């Protein structure tokens, strides 16, 4: 595998989940693979799990991580071609990507959606510019449209915690949030869930007007009644996103969508999942996230193994 930009770059999601679960039993078994190899982690936005788990994954593989925060420390990069650069931006991504490629064997990038210009976000401007101008593999640590390392960690977590049953009911539920959030986590979760069509009945629930990009959710069952969606569910995956249709807007903060005990009671003793960070008592009630059915910490732990199996595949292809 050269780059990891989206779930579809994996040769097989199900095989990768099994490989990650195997790797987790002895995470240091491939220490030789990354010896004398450097990964550059470039952050254009905040991070806790992604930043630490991707470094941990690299260290487990014997790689040296270098981290750079562009928000506070780097030159402001220009991404538009042909610009007269006489304003605030000091360096073009054309040079920056080539320069970083001299120092790093792999480049990992976090660049959220701006949520103002749908076209620009859908073109994944930052990620695509690095794919175009860098000469080394690129790892997506959440782009404007996807968060494939999160979705792979989610798949690993579901595999480890699922009840033994032929077909699982997996529900992606929108929840309220005070700020406008990107669609990336929801999109990649949908992509991952839809790739499990033989194993998951995949339902998405949200208020009217909060439909995700239909190209990403084709094949999912849409249910506007959250309680009906929750009935008999085995997995409740909660996430806020801003409107896609009325791009980047927060049209609804309806607290009746908060996931609470009463809603969880109609599920099939479902596990509760969230990618974190989570706004307690807005997205989910304390009583749910603190319950035995909450697997958010196990889910965060799997971010390491998700990143590690992906980096292993990238290193395998380099050597
Ligand atoms: C990000 C998102 O894409 O929704 C990262 C999730 C992994 N989440 C946030 O930006 C939450 C920020 C907040 O204020 O709660």
């Amino acid at each position: 595998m050269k780059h990891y930009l989206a779930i579809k770059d994996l040769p097989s999601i199900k095989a990768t989940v099994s490989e990650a679960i195997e790797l987790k039993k002895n995470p240091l078994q491939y220490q030789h693979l990354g010896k004398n190899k450097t990964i550059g982690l470039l952050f254009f936005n905040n991070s806790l799990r992604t930043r630490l788990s991707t470094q941990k994954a690299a260290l487990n593989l014997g790689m040296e991580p270098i981290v750079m925060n562009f928000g506070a420390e780097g030159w402001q990069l220009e991404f538009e071609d042909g610009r007269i650069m006489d304003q605030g931006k000091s360096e073009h991504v054309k040079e920056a990507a080539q320069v970083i490629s001299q120092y790093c064997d792999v480049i990992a990038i976090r660049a959220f959606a701006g949520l103002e210009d749908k076209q620009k976000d859908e073109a994944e401007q930052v990620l695509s510019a690095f794919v175009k101008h860098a000469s080394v593999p690129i790892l997506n640590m959440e782009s404007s449209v996807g968060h494939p390392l999160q979705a792979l960690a989610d798949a690993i977590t579901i595999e480890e915690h699922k009840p033994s049953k032929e077909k699982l009911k997996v529900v992606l539920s929108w929840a309220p949030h005070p700020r406008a959030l990107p669609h990336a986590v929801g999109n990649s979760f949908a992509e991952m869930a839809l790739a499990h069509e033989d194993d998951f009945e995949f339902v998405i629930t949200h208020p009217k007007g909060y439909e995700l990009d239909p190209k990403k959710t084709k094949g999912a069952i849409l249910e506007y009644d959250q309680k009906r969606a929750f009935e008999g569910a085995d997995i409740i995956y909660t996430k806020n996103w801003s409107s896609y249709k009325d791009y980047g807007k927060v049209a609804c903060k309806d607290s009746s969508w908060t996931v609470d005990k009463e809603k969880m009671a109609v599920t099939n003793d479902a596990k509760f999942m969230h990618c974190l960070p989570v706004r307690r008592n807005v997205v989910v009630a304390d009583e749910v996230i603190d319950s035995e059915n909450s697997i958010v910490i196990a889910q965060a732990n799997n971010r390491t193994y998700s990143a590690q199996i992906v980096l292993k595949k990238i290193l395998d292809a380099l050597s």
Side-chain angles (χ1 to χ4, degrees), residues 27-28 30-32 34-35 37 39 41 51-66 304 308 311:
L28 302 182
Y30 299 110
Q31 278 264 318
H32 57 281
K35 195 167 182 286
K37 295 263 194 299
I39 179 170
L41 277 65
R51 177 170 170 154
L52 298 184
S53 66
T54 312
Q55 286 191 72
K56 174 82 175 175
L59 291 167
N60 281 352
L61 289 166
M63 301 180 87
E64 291 289 339
I66 307 178
T304 298
Q308 198 177 332
L311 278 175

Side-chain angles (χ1 to χ4, degrees), residues 110 112 142 147 177 179 181-182 185 239 275-277 279:
R110 159 157 291 194
F112 288 171
E142 187 172 340
H147 196 357
H177 197 284
R179 292 178 52 208
L181 295 191
V185 171
K239 181 74 185 83
C275 63
L276 306 180
R279 305 283 190 127

Side-chain angles (χ1 to χ4, degrees), residues 52-198:
L52 298 184
S53 66
T54 312
Q55 286 191 72
K56 174 82 175 175
L59 291 167
N60 281 352
L61 289 166
M63 301 180 87
E64 291 289 339
I66 307 178
V67 182
M68 177 143 185
N69 290 316
F70 272 83
E73 297 156 9
W75 299 115
Q76 289 295 304
L77 295 188
E78 177 61 66
F79 289 91
E80 303 285 344
D81 279 341
R83 265 281 152 82
I84 298 170
M85 289 172 54
D86 60 355
Q87 300 294 312
K89 303 202 171 145
S90 313
E91 178 160 17
H92 203 282
V93 67
K94 280 186 183 175
E95 285 77 47
Q98 292 181 72
V99 168
I100 300 165
S101 301
Q102 314 298 304
Y103 310 147
C104 300
D105 301 281
V106 178
I107 300 176
I109 297 168
R110 159 157 291 194
F112 288 171
L115 294 176
E116 276 169 16
D117 184 334
K118 191 188 241 182
Q119 236 177 345
K120 205 183 258 183
D121 285 348
E122 296 209 321
E124 301 199 286
Q125 195 189 41
V126 177
L127 192 71
S128 311
F130 276 91
V131 171
K132 185 167 174 199
H133 299 296
S135 52
V136 298
I138 303 294
L139 177 62
N140 181 354
M141 296 194 296
E142 187 172 340
S143 68
S144 41
V145 300
H147 196 357
L149 284 173
Q150 180 66 53
L152 176 55
D154 300 338
I156 298 167
T157 313
I158 292 173
E159 182 60 29
E160 288 177 331
H161 294 268
K162 68 181 187 190
S164 51
K165 205 173 166 190
E166 206 149 290
K167 204 151 190 173
L168 295 185
K169 182 171 180 185
V170 175
V171 177
L172 170 63
S173 177
W174 181 92
H177 197 284
R179 292 178 52 208
L181 295 191
H183 308 99
V185 171
N187 285 342
S188 290
F189 187 80
E191 192 184 343
M192 178 279 286
L194 291 165
H196 283 80
E197 59 178 346
D198 297 338

Side-chain angles (χ1 to χ4, degrees), residues 262-275:
E262 202 193 323
K263 284 174 200 160
M264 292 299 284
V266 306
T267 67
N268 179 35
D269 200 25
K271 302 294 183 206
F272 173 80
M273 298 178 73
H274 190 282
C275 63

